[in-house]
Amino acid sequence: MDAAGPVNLSTRFTRALNVRYPIVSAPMAFAAGGALAAAVSRAGGLGLIGGGYGEAAWLEEQFALTHGEPVGVGFITWSLHRSASLLSEVLKYHPRAVMLSFGDPRPFVDAIRGAGALLICQCQNMEHVEQALDVSADVVVAQGAEAGGHGALRGTVTLVPEAADFIAAYSPQTLLLAAGGIADGRGLAAALMLGADGVLVGTRLWASREALVAERHHLSMLAANGDDTLRTHVPDIVRQLPWPAEFTARIRRNAFTERWHGREQELAGHAAVEGPRYRQALAEGDPENAAVWFGEAAGLIQSIEPAAAIVEQMIGEATLQLQRHGGASLD
Amino acid sequence: MDAAGPVNLSTRFTRALNVRYPIVSAPMAFAAGGALAAAVSRAGGLGLIGGGYGEAAWLEEQFALTHGEPVGVGFITWSLHRSASLLSEVLKYHPRAVMLSFGDPRPFVDAIRGAGALLICQCQNMEHVEQALDVSADVVVAQGAEAGGHGALRGTVTLVPEAADFIAAYSPQTLLLAAGGIADGRGLAAALMLGADGVLVGTRLWASREALVAERHHLSMLAANGDDTLRTHVPDIVRQLPWPAEFTARIRRNAFTERWHGREQELAGHAAVEGPRYRQALAEGDPENAAVWFGEAAGLIQSIEPAAAIVEQMIGEATLQLQRHGGASLD
């Protein structure tokens, strides 16, 4: 970075939140605990703990692990509808922000604002973006289907600029983050070109030392390229989780998906047998017989690193890429 | 552009092909005729005629309409396998480049090189990229599933940088274009950040005056946003075209897709009745009962323009976007 001068990747997002870098870690269920969220915030971004399906005791532990570093938390919205007290319990930890994904945010908005937390709404299509502006979200995350884990069918490269145009027309103070397939400085620079104010990073931080991920799951991702994932309902069926049909999970292709993807009804019928089998494989860190949660960006990741190193590398690479191409000539 | 200085968006692609702008028009079957291809080349990019399913007489007409402007041509590779003499007939028009998409390029490589045309291979995943390097393609197009028309399941934002890394490692002289959802200067600038040397543009040029598209199809796209398309096999089933199962078509959601998507086997059984009905609707320019071929980028397009204006606008916007964000600070 020497020749390029000091790194100062400030955007509307960094200025509004008073953080150094426009990078937010995705609140990945089970994988994004307090250590990861705190590491990302300490590195200059904003870390989010994965509230997942809502276990109050686990969340208490994870917030304790942040040692006062300001972090936020994310919830699966339809699941939060089922455990109404959880949000108020978690708001006691004073999260910097609460991100809601996959469902109607309206019942939770007042409590979040009342606690002084920023409201982040993750959106998979333009209909969701409209809903997010209806509740005056502070931050919209436009998530493309490249993402690991749950998502839907729009691509990042079209959803981000379309959301940017919509926000500019109807709610220009709302901030916009791009998500889905953003794993390095090239993706961050591209997101800024598309009109985002920053990025939400899942898969690249799933592949960090702080993520709560079994070692064999990490190794299976390092061996994968971006073709080695698919979108499917099978992990939700085997876990008997009532996910809305519009959302699929992007996971690694493995023995489990080879066996059941395309045979969803049969799997549902066998959940009593297959459920315990799945949980056993998960507990053992078996990367073949349980879902392994990463996205297409796997093809861009060659190593498991500390989260702080990942953030610094993304910022450095994005800055160089922008400087290289900045100005009237691209030579 | 005055304050920003002269526009000079040169890349490895523009220098290798000696063209002004790193923009190639997609060889959209039926829609991309000689007038569109010539207009794009005249504007400083490279236009490609859509060879589609291969009608020699139509292609002769379209090349005549270019009035000597250098253009290329694109074929659906599996279809070209069925009409072997077509390629040699078309090579007589001295296309600048031949693009092969959706199938094994090997049988055609020698003839294309022998005629002095550049070989462009369109790729939907990393397996296709490997195949393209195996035949020493001059240009690889990394096409994300956001694209209108046929494609597959990778997203542009991950496929482009992964292809760039692979090309850098194994065939650094090969050029890389990004395709799928690139419809404005933001998309072009993002593609360059991701490591592409330029872009292949479909949907935005489908929405040009020169494209061979029924007016009501154009109007239905102007009314659409990016959520209004889907990937489906139904237009290929009703036309009884033997598309490989891995490729779906992204088209507008309309009465035809509402009726048949999810009922593919039934449609196949009714092709004798539904085929003529479909062709009739197509001939009448009916946007509800035949496929309307555009991609997710529809949400970024507000008007039908001459192709030259579209190219200039993309270049101007990309240049401004790069200048605005260039340098050490993104302020």
Side-chain angles (χ1 to χ4, degrees):
Chain A
M1 305 306 309
D2 309 335
V7 177
N8 175 21
L9 210 61
S10 87
T11 70
R12 295 200 315 156
F13 180 84
T14 61
R15 293 190 292 275
L17 272 75
N18 196 26
V19 294
R20 203 151 73 243
Y21 298 143
I23 294 179
V24 178
S25 63
M28 297 168 280
F30 307 109
L36 176 58
V40 170
S41 288
R42 205 175 299 117
L46 174 66
L48 301 183
I49 292 173
Y53 301 94
E55 285 192 46
W58 186 84
L59 281 164
E60 185 178 1
E61 258 174 58
Q62 299 306 322
F63 271 97
L65 289 172
T66 63
H67 300 296
E69 192 69 45
V71 303
V73 62
F75 289 104
I76 297 165
T77 317
W78 65 258
S79 178
L80 195 59
H81 283 266
R82 307 192 304 176
S83 45
S85 69
L86 185 69
L87 179 61
S88 54
E89 284 173 50
V90 167
L91 287 172
K92 288 180 197 150
Y93 310 129
H94 304 294
R96 185 79 205 279
V98 177
M99 175 163 143
L100 298 176
S101 308
F102 314 117
D104 182 359
R106 284 175 295 184
F108 311 112
V109 169
D110 288 345
I112 292 168
R113 288 201 194 296
L118 291 168
L119 173 62
I120 307 177
C121 288
Q122 185 165 243
C123 301
Q124 284 73 38
N125 62 18
M126 289 306 296
E127 194 186 335
H128 300 163
V129 173
E130 290 185 39
Q131 288 163 0
L133 296 194
D134 280 347
V135 297
S136 301
D138 300 292
V139 181
V140 162
V141 177
Q143 186 210 32
E146 296 91 334
H150 287 91
L153 288 171
R154 289 292 304 271
T156 301
V157 86
T158 66
L159 184 57
V160 172
E162 191 173 350
D165 288 341
F166 194 84
I167 286 170
Y170 298 106
S171 181
Q173 76 286 0
T174 303
L175 302 167
L176 176 63
L177 302 180
I182 313 285
D184 60 21
R186 293 175 294 187
L188 168 54
L192 298 174
M193 290 294 135
L194 292 171
D197 303 303
V199 295
L200 182 93
V201 177
T203 295
R204 176 62 270 205
L205 288 165
W206 184 93
S208 70
R209 291 201 193 287
E210 291 88 348
L212 303 171
V213 172
E215 189 184 4
R216 284 193 290 160
H217 283 214
H218 269 165
L219 293 175
S220 77
M221 181 229 248
L222 294 178
N225 78 8
D227 295 352
D228 293 334
T229 71
L230 80 170
R231 286 211 155 274
T232 179
H233 289 293
V234 293
D236 300 328
I237 293 170
V238 78
R239 296 181 300 172
Q240 299 184 283
L241 290 170
W243 271 89
E246 64 177 314
F247 302 116
T248 50
R250 183 175 294 286
I251 56 177
R252 174 172 173 260
R253 292 179 197 274
N254 64 8
F256 171 68
T257 65
E258 284 300 309
R259 185 158 174 220
W260 293 113
H261 184 66
R263 293 169 60 206
E264 286 75 9
Q265 281 201 312
E266 202 180 334
L267 177 58
H270 288 71
V273 174
E274 294 301 328
R277 199 174 277 178
Y278 179 96
R279 285 190 292 277
Q280 172 80 15
L282 192 69
E284 290 170 356
D286 174 355
E288 286 302 325
N289 295 294
V292 181
W293 297 81
F294 59 78
E296 290 186 8
L300 305 172
I301 298 169
Q302 318 305 335
S303 60
I304 309 299
E305 305 276 353
I310 291 167
V311 168
E312 285 297 335
Q313 216 172 334
M314 285 186 71
I315 294 293
E317 189 183 15
T319 306
L320 271 181
Q321 196 75 339
L322 290 162
Q323 289 173 335
R324 187 176 298 146
H325 292 291
S329 166
L330 280 170
D331 274 2
Chain B
M1 304 305 308
D2 308 335
V7 176
N8 175 21
L9 210 61
S10 87
T11 69
R12 296 199 315 156
F13 180 83
T14 61
R15 292 190 292 275
L17 273 75
N18 196 25
V19 294
R20 205 152 71 243
Y21 298 141
I23 294 179
V24 178
S25 63
M28 298 169 279
F30 307 110
L36 176 57
V40 170
S41 288
R42 206 176 299 118
L46 174 65
L48 302 183
I49 292 173
Y53 302 94
E55 284 192 46
W58 186 84
L59 280 164
E60 184 178 1
E61 259 174 57
Q62 299 306 322
F63 271 96
L65 289 172
T66 64
H67 300 297
E69 192 69 45
V71 302
V73 62
F75 290 104
I76 297 165
T77 317
W78 64 259
S79 178
L80 195 59
H81 283 265
R82 307 192 304 177
S83 46
S85 69
L86 186 69
L87 178 61
S88 55
E89 284 173 52
V90 166
L91 288 172
K92 288 181 195 150
Y93 310 129
H94 304 293
R96 185 80 205 279
V98 177
M99 175 163 144
L100 298 176
S101 308
F102 314 117
D104 182 358
R106 283 175 295 183
F108 311 111
V109 168
D110 289 345
I112 292 167
R113 290 200 193 294
L118 291 168
L119 172 63
I120 307 177
C121 288
Q122 185 166 244
C123 301
Q124 284 72 39
N125 61 19
M126 289 306 296
E127 193 185 336
H128 300 163
V129 173
E130 290 184 40
Q131 288 161 2
L133 297 194
D134 280 346
V135 297
S136 301
D138 299 292
V139 181
V140 161
V141 177
Q143 186 209 32
E146 296 91 333
H150 286 91
L153 288 171
R154 290 292 304 270
T156 300
V157 85
T158 65
L159 185 57
V160 172
E162 190 173 349
D165 288 341
F166 194 83
I167 287 170
Y170 297 106
S171 182
Q173 76 288 356
T174 303
L175 301 167
L176 175 64
L177 302 179
I182 313 284
D184 60 21
R186 293 175 294 187
L188 169 53
L192 298 174
M193 290 294 135
L194 293 172
D197 303 302
V199 295
L200 182 93
V201 177
T203 296
R204 175 63 270 202
L205 288 164
W206 184 92
S208 70
R209 290 200 194 288
E210 291 87 348
L212 303 170
V213 173
E215 190 184 1
R216 285 193 289 161
H217 283 213
H218 269 165
L219 293 175
S220 77
M221 181 229 249
L222 294 178
N225 77 9
D227 296 352
D228 293 335
T229 71
L230 81 170
R231 286 211 156 273
T232 179
H233 289 293
V234 293
D236 300 328
I237 293 169
V238 77
R239 297 181 298 171
Q240 300 184 281
L241 290 170
W243 271 89
E246 65 176 314
F247 302 116
T248 50
R250 184 175 293 287
I251 55 177
R252 175 172 172 260
R253 293 179 197 275
N254 64 9
F256 170 68
T257 65
E258 284 301 308
R259 187 160 172 216
W260 293 114
H261 183 66
R263 293 169 60 206
E264 286 75 9
Q265 281 201 314
E266 202 180 333
L267 177 59
H270 287 71
V273 175
E274 294 301 328
R277 200 174 276 178
Y278 179 96
R279 285 190 291 277
Q280 173 79 16
L282 191 69
E284 290 170 357
D286 174 356
E288 286 302 325
N289 296 293
V292 181
W293 297 81
F294 58 78
E296 291 186 7
L300 305 173
I301 298 169
Q302 318 305 333
S303 61
I304 309 299
E305 306 276 354
I310 291 168
V311 169
E312 285 296 335
Q313 216 171 334
M314 286 187 70
I315 294 292
E317 189 183 13
T319 307
L320 271 181
Q321 196 74 342
L322 290 163
Q323 289 173 334
R324 186 176 299 146
H325 291 291
S329 166
L330 280 171
D331 277 2

